[in-house]
Amino acid sequence: MPSSAPTRTDRPSAEQIAAARRFARRAAWFLDSSIRIPVVGIRIGVQPIISLIPVAGDVAGFVVTLGIIGQAVRMKAPPGTLARMAGYAVLDLFVGLVPVAGDAVDFFLRANTRNCALLERHLDDLEGKPSPPAWKRRLGVLLVAAALLTAVWLAWVAGSALIGALFG
């Protein structure tokens, strides 16, 4: 007698892929290009503005960036893609801690837009490529998570030292 239990696939469904695309596009747009500066027509996002709040603003932007990376993990992105995304996020976080210069880098780097493009490339390729073995994905996710947690801790330590030097 054939089993009527649903079969589990290793691939995200079309609906999950569409939802991941929507989230990544909206988050990248919000953080990197949601505000049009009148007269000059240049677009900036919310991230350079919230980054004006020392440490907390940079960490808040980083948390939303983690949402994009989280979508890549859910969509079973290969470890190399996750590592590149984490690299952009960490670079954005650390450079963002430098007053004024960090905000300029936020404007030019647009790490969230880059991460969205990496995720979109993976989603475009998803249909024709086999997923990496589960142990490689898990190891990649573990390494990326460790790197991101270390980055947050280092940002906190550096930010606390900066605030102490400026106001203490």
Side-chain angles (χ1 to χ4, degrees):
M1 178 171 177
S3 172
S4 62
T7 59
R8 184 177 172 269
T9 64
D10 200 31
R11 298 226 177 272
S13 69
E15 293 83 22
Q16 290 171 322
I17 291 172
R21 256 186 228 281
R22 267 193 313 276
F23 176 83
R25 285 177 181 169
R26 287 179 183 163
W29 171 82
F30 179 71
L31 290 171
D32 291 344
S33 59
S34 59
I35 302 167
R36 184 180 172 277
I37 298 175
V39 181
V40 291
I42 295 173
R43 298 193 75 81
I44 65 168
V46 173
Q47 187 158 3
I49 295 169
I50 63 173
S51 292
L52 294 173
I53 303 168
V55 183
D58 294 303
V59 172
F62 185 71
V63 168
V64 179
T65 300
L66 289 179
I68 298 172
I69 296 172
Q71 291 297 320
V73 170
R74 285 185 54 235
M75 295 296 110
K76 300 176 174 33
T81 300
L82 294 174
R84 285 184 65 195
M85 292 175 83
Y88 287 133
V90 168
L91 177 65
D92 190 40
L93 175 66
F94 280 122
V95 175
L97 291 173
V98 179
V100 183
D103 298 321
V105 170
D106 273 338
F107 173 74
F108 289 109
L109 177 63
R110 298 181 187 262
N112 301 295
T113 301
R114 291 174 188 261
N115 282 341
C116 182
L118 287 170
L119 176 58
E120 295 241 27
R121 192 173 315 134
H122 167 67
L123 295 176
D124 290 343
D125 292 343
L126 195 59
E127 305 306 329
K129 282 188 171 179
S131 294
W135 70 269
K136 281 188 177 180
R137 277 198 321 272
R138 288 185 189 118
L139 179 62
V141 168
L142 182 65
L143 292 174
V144 167
L148 292 174
L149 288 173
T150 302
V152 169
W153 179 76
L154 287 172
W156 184 263
V157 169
S160 297
L162 180 63
I163 289 173
L166 292 174
F167 302 111

